[in-house]
Amino acid sequence: MLGYQLTFFTQQDRSHKGRPLAQWLVDEARAIGIGGATLIPAAEGFGHDKKMRSVHFFELTEQPVQVVLAVTEAESKRLLARIKEEGVNIFVIKTPIEFGMTGEL
């Protein structure tokens, strides 16, 4: 199939409606029928503000987090529309891809 890889970048302490933003994204993807999402915690990173964020032994709030999805064009439109509708402002990379199960490509 042809579609997009959506990669969202956030951090552990960002939330939406009382839930971690990354988990909210995964839950919304599931709710609108997307077949899968991967939530990836990172050790370190920096964003547009140039501030370094990393995992600390006792404090995980600034831990960088990615949510990665492989979606069809229609799924991409539905998810991005839902994010906009909720007023969520998050950095995303949208890359054209070909995806499927091995043996299908």
Side-chain angles (χ1 to χ4, degrees):
M1 281 202 271
L2 297 177
Y4 297 97
Q5 177 177 313
L6 299 178
T7 306
F8 296 93
F9 296 84
T10 187
Q11 62 193 57
Q12 190 65 32
D13 64 350
R14 287 199 58 205
S15 63
H16 182 68
K17 294 191 172 180
R19 295 190 338 234
L21 182 55
Q23 188 60 54
W24 180 85
L25 281 169
V26 170
D27 293 344
E28 287 301 310
R30 180 182 295 145
I32 65 172
I34 292 174
T38 302
L39 194 152
I40 306 167
E44 188 172 72
F46 71 92
H48 60 88
D49 62 1
K50 306 294 188 249
K51 181 180 176 190
M52 289 299 296
R53 292 182 170 78
S54 61
V55 176
H56 301 287
F57 186 69
F58 292 107
E59 184 66 49
L60 297 177
T61 60
E62 288 195 353
Q63 179 177 20
V65 180
Q66 291 180 21
V67 177
V68 181
L69 306 97
V71 296
T72 65
E73 184 173 359
E75 291 169 334
S76 171
K77 287 179 181 179
R78 283 199 314 268
L79 182 58
L80 294 172
R82 180 75 179 126
I83 291 166
K84 184 176 181 178
E85 176 183 300
E86 286 287 321
V88 173
N89 190 25
I90 185 170
F91 186 80
V92 62
I93 296 174
K94 183 178 178 181
T95 308
I97 60 169
E98 181 178 354
F99 66 97
M101 300 297 290
T102 58
E104 294 178 8
L105 298 176

